[in-house]
């Protein structure tokens, strides 16, 4: 290889090339990972990477290219991007582009992969910077891994460096910023966990500033080590806050690169959109794409039907990868590239867990494929949802709706021609007969699915858990078997068409029907596997039928997901779990046990800096009927009416079910609707309801689960939170039943071990909606008399912030509320009560 001299203005691949310092020659070191020794030469590229390299070399006229790639934990190259192209003898070397942990791939058109003197010089320089260097032939059949660099020693970050950021540099850019004791304590613990490794479970009360308490240590370590830290949230609300507010602030202090990565189906596919050029329904999408830099569904300013989005979404099963004409401008791959170059990557729990699952599965197979770039340190915010997120990722779910969506693109509909018909018309002789027989097989599958799921719909209008033990038979087992057989038959026939397509010349623009066939085959294989798995009873799993808006689903999920989670995160160096609510009465036993964390896991509670005794009132009437009594709703509505009169509105009514939302909001709309806007969850998008509430200082909002947490209304806008009933989870829910049974078998009281701690954490979240800043004031009104009469009432009350409490008959409590709100200056838009 000849390496032209790099000059300041030279360009390669459309990007400016800079210089790099020279270094001494380093001897290539043998791999130390035992799994890696099984991967030799070209076998250490994934098939997709090998294909991309071959295509890139072909596109360059079989001349020399330079590519930069990402390497998995076991030394497998999983992604590449071509950065420079040259002649048969020379190409610009990209000395400044790759980062430590990445790989530079260069081809020799001659087929001789022995390094030249120039190669060895480059390999030495790359190796010194922690970059791998590979020479391949044009067919990617041979690969010479010239350098597998030594691992750079990690640079630990000192407490002094961290405190410099909090105590000097943050106050310099944020007026009136004062580090809080809890924030500094949490930041020190996060820094220790990042430096030393291990798991930490940290509760940080509202107002602690926990986002910066983990973001600054993470960013400081990532910057100093040119490494990656993954930040994972459960809700989009928090993800948006981190990326719009907190991380831009961190970037003012440290020169870090930040990226957000979402699940692939959140990104629009340019190629698939082009296929809908004649479809008027796609016109708004075409206009939107022209001015949108991200292509993310969340950025759409208008609603899109699910069927239309599925036709244009990016899809692993339908990607052409490097062969796609839009590869360089692909929204999804652009997001992947930004993530590969970032110090901080923001994802959600579901994407993180899927990535960990794929990496674990691939590692067993001697590969290293995943969704995300390499990382070994993660910060899990909203970690009180980790059990729920793991349950969702681990479950198997089968429905008639899923099967219809799987086979829909293959068959003709009123709106469009199906893939099988397109292939039949394009290749009538070669594929016509197989297309017809495959269509018949898929129609038979649809018939099996229709009979099974219509029968389930007729029988189960409520969730139904299948029995266990000696009674572990499966209703409709024959129909499930027939469905699995039909899905396998359809998959085999689609596979035969795929095999024939591989032998036929197909233009790039005509490949979509074949991609639809490939995706259909893989998904029908999954349908068959899921149906058969559902028939198998396992003591560790809960099986149930779940009626939903789109029909009944057959669901199988692990009862205890802690072992599943531990298998997924066991290879990570650092895991920090944080939330405002992880402890019950200051103790973490419940959380650690549910997620199978070791008893000696590092834990910490960093209290809120808010002065609840001065800022908040906790109102506790004693004389309402019990929540299950016939007159409870009448009395609850009366108390809510009186409390809203006292506050002048600005109230959340946090209910434990949609039925309660509907009943209470209906009663109060009659009583208060003339004076206050009554906002009801389900009557409009959540964001619009919340926006209306923020603008109307007299509004009253009735909501359930999604308003108990993740919602922040600072200032006088929210001054009253009403909780009619303690938030115990409904014990008839199938997975809860299965967990109850498992605990009883272990000699535990499921109420004490699970139901009560979960309800306490939920109540703490609801209470936390009220005080969001040091200047907020307000009251929480709780109407459930079990707080006073049942032994567990003390557990709830002792877990709440130390607000001033008013206990007594309802009329006396209302009088105290009136006095409390009269002591304020009138809020905008309301007069004194």
């Amino acid at each position: 290889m000849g390496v032209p001299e790099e000059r300041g203005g030279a360009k390669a691949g459309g990007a400016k090339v800079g210089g790099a310092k020279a270094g001494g020659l380093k001897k290539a070191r043998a791999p130390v990972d035992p799994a890696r020794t099984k991967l030799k030469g070209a076998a250490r590229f994934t098939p997709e990477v090998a294909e991309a390299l071959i295509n890139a070399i072909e596109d360059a006229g079989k001349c020399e290219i330079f590519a930069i790639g990402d390497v998995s934990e076991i030394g497998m190259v999983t992604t590449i991007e071509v950065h420079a192209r040259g002649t048969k003898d020379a190409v610009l070397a990209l000395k400044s582009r790759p980062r430590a942990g990445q790989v530079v791939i260069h081809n020799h058109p001659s087929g001789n992969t022995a390094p030249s003197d120039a190669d060895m010089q480059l390999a030495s320089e790359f190796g010194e910077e922690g970059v791998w260097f590979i020479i391949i032939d044009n067919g990617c059949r041979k690969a010479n891994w010239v350098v597998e660099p030594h691992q750079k020693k990690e640079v630990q970050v000192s407490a002094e460096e961290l405190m410099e950021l909090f105590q000097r540099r943050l106050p310099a850019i944020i007026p009136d910023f004062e580090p809080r004791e809890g924030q500094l304590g949490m930041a020190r613990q996060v820094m220790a966990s990042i430096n030393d490794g291990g798991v930490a479970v940290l509760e940080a009360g509202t107002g602690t500033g926990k986002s910066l308490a983990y973001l600054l240590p993470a960013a400081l370590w990532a910057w100093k080590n040119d490494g990656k830290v993954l930040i994972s949230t459960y809700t989009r609300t928090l993800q948006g806050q981190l990326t719009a507010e907190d991380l831009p602030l961190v970037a003012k202090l440290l020169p870090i690169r930040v990226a957000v990565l979402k699940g692939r189906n959140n990104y629009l596919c340019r190629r698939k959109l082009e296929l809908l050029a004649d479809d008027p329904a796609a016109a708004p999408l075409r206009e939107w794409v022209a001015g949108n830099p991200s292509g993310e569904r969340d950025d759409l300013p208008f609603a899109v039907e699910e069927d239309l989005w599925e036709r244009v979404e990016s899809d692993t099963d339908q990607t052409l990868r490097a062969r796609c004409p839009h590869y360089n401008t692909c929204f999804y791959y652009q997001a992947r590239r930004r993530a590969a170059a970032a110090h901080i990557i923001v994802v959600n729990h579901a994407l993180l867990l899927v990535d960990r699952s794929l990496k674990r599965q691939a590692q067993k197979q001697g590969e290293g494929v995943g969704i995300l770039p390499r990382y070994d340190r993660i910060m899990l915010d909203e970690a009180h949802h980790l059990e729920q997120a793991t349950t969702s990722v681990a479950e198997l779910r089968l429905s008639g709706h899923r099967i219809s969506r799987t086979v829909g693109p293959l068959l003709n509909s009123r709106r469009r021609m199906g893939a099988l018909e397109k292939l039949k018309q394009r290749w009538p002789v070669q594929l016509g007969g197989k297309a017809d027989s495959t269509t018949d097989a898929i129609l038979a599958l649809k018939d099996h699915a229709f009979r099974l799921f219509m029968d389930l719909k007729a029988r189960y209008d409520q969730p139904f858990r299948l029995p266990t033990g000696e009674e572990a038979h499966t209703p409709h087992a024959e129909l499930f078997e027939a469905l699995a057989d039909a899905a396998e038959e359809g998959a085999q026939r689609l596979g035969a068409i795929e095999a024939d397509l591989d032998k036929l010349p197909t233009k790039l623009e005509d490949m979509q029907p074949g991609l639809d066939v490939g995706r259909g085959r893989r998904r029908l294989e999954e349908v068959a596997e899921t149906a058969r798995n559902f028939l198998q009873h396992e003591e560790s799993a809960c099986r149930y039928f779940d009626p939903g808006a789109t029909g009944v689903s057959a669901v199988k999920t692990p009862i205890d997901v802690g072992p599943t989670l531990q298998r997924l995160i066991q290879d990570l160096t650092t895991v920090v779990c944080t939330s405002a609510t992880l402890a019950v009465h200051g103790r973490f036993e419940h959380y650690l046990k549910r997620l199978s964390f070791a008893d000696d896991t590092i834990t910490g509670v960093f209290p809120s800096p808010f002065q609840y005794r001065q800022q908040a009132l906790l109102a506790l009437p004693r004389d309402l009927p019990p929540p299950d009594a016939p007159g409870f709703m009448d009395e609850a509505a009366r108390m809510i009416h009186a409390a809203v009169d006292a506050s002048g509105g600005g109230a959340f009514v946090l209910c434990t079910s949609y039925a309660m939302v509907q009943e209470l909001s209906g009663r109060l709309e009659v009583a208060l609707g003339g004076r206050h806007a009554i906002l009801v969850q389900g009557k409009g998008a959540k964001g619009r309801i919340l926006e209306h509430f923020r603008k109307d200082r007299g509004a009253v909002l009735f909501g359930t689960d999604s308003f108990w947490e993740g919602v922040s209304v600072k200032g006088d806008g929210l001054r009253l939170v009403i909780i009619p009933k303690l938030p115990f989870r409904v014990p008839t829910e199938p997975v809860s039943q299965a967990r109850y049974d498992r605990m009883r078998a272990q000699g535990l009281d499921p109420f004490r071990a699970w139901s009560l701690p979960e309800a306490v954490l939920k109540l703490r979240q609801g209470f936390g909606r009220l005080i969001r800043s040091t200047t907020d004031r307000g009251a929480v009104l709780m109407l459930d008399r079990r707080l006073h009469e049942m032994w567990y009432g003390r557990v709830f009350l002792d877990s709440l912030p130390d607000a001033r409490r008013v206990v007594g008959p309802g009329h006396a409590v209302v009088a105290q509320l009136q006095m409390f709100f009269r002591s304020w200056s009138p809020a905008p838009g309301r007069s004194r009560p």
Side-chain angles (χ1 to χ4, degrees), residues 124-136:
S124 170
E125 296 176 15
F126 283 131
E128 286 292 332
E129 297 299 320
V131 176
W132 309 36
F133 189 79
I134 312 170
I135 300 173
I136 62 172

Side-chain angles (χ1 to χ4, degrees), residues 200-477:
V201 175
L202 310 176
E203 177 178 288
T206 306
T208 305
K210 68 177 169 61
S211 296
L212 288 178
Y214 64 75
L215 286 176
L216 277 174
L220 186 57
W221 179 89
W223 171 60
K224 295 197 71 169
N225 288 278
D226 198 20
K228 284 181 170 52
V229 179
L230 212 66
I231 310 296
S232 182
T233 75
Y234 185 73
T235 64
R236 292 178 179 176
T237 301
L238 179 56
Q239 193 174 92
Q241 174 196 314
L242 293 177
T243 55
E245 301 174 20
D246 298 316
L247 281 166
L249 187 64
V250 174
K252 291 181 179 179
L253 304 175
L254 297 166
I256 58 166
R257 298 179 295 274
V258 176
V260 180
L261 193 60
K262 300 180 180 179
R264 184 163 190 157
N265 63 354
N266 286 281
Y267 299 91
L268 181 139
C269 172
R270 294 180 184 274
R271 181 187 63 81
K272 291 169 73 173
L273 181 62
E274 281 187 346
L275 297 176
L276 303 182
D278 297 328
D279 189 335
L285 286 175
R286 287 191 289 272
E287 294 178 9
W288 172 71
V289 164
N292 187 274
S294 74
E296 293 180 22
R297 186 176 186 177
D298 288 345
D299 293 341
L300 279 167
F302 50 85
V304 174
E305 291 184 8
E306 198 63 36
D307 178 67
L308 176 60
W309 183 259
E310 187 168 287
R311 294 167 67 193
V312 298
E313 69 184 6
S314 185
D315 187 335
T316 302
D317 287 329
Q318 296 187 322
T319 180
L320 297 179
R321 297 183 176 86
R323 291 177 296 165
C324 179
H326 301 290
Y327 181 71
N328 288 332
T329 58
C330 171
F331 292 122
Y332 174 68
Y333 282 112
Q334 283 181 329
R336 287 280 301 267
R337 292 175 196 126
R338 288 192 294 268
H343 294 108
I344 300 292
I345 308 173
V346 182
V347 299
N348 63 27
H349 294 347
L351 184 61
L352 166 66
L353 293 170
V354 169
D355 177 69
R356 298 307 307 167
S357 180
L358 289 173
K359 281 184 166 69
R360 177 176 172 79
Q361 180 182 358
Q363 197 165 9
K364 289 180 179 179
Q365 299 169 353
E367 301 174 0
V369 180
I371 302 171
L372 303 170
R374 293 178 65 181
Y375 57 89
D376 63 2
R377 287 164 168 83
I378 62 174
M379 307 284 118
L380 290 154
D381 205 339
E382 298 180 309
H384 59 288
H385 281 301
L386 199 49
E387 182 178 23
Q388 182 179 348
T390 308
T391 300
S392 298
V393 170
E395 77 175 12
L396 298 174
R397 183 175 289 265
L398 184 64
S399 67
H401 180 69
R402 173 187 169 186
I403 293 171
S404 294
R405 296 184 74 85
T406 292
V407 302
L410 302 171
L411 303 175
N412 291 338
S413 69
R414 288 177 298 175
R415 297 177 62 178
R416 62 181 183 275
M417 184 185 299
L420 291 171
E421 183 64 27
K422 290 178 181 177
L423 291 174
K424 177 182 175 181
Q425 292 189 10
R426 177 65 180 86
W427 307 101
V429 176
Q430 297 90 336
L431 296 178
K434 286 186 177 180
D436 286 338
S437 63
T438 303
T439 298
D440 292 341
I442 291 176
L443 290 173
L445 165 66
K446 287 191 68 175
D447 183 59
H448 282 292
F450 178 81
R451 285 188 286 123
L452 170 59
F453 288 102
M454 285 302 292
D455 191 38
L456 294 177
K457 181 180 180 180
R459 293 173 181 264
Y460 305 109
D461 60 354
Q462 296 293 325
F464 178 78
R465 179 183 164 210
L466 272 63
T468 58
E470 295 180 358
E471 301 177 354
H473 65 281
T474 305
H476 321 287

Side-chain angles (χ1 to χ4, degrees), residues 52 135 189 222 249 278 284 295 305 451 579 691 718 729 758:
I135 300 173
Q189 180 54 66
L249 187 64
D278 297 328
E305 291 184 8
R451 285 188 286 123
S579 169
E691 182 181 3
L718 175 59
R729 187 171 296 185
E758 290 290 305

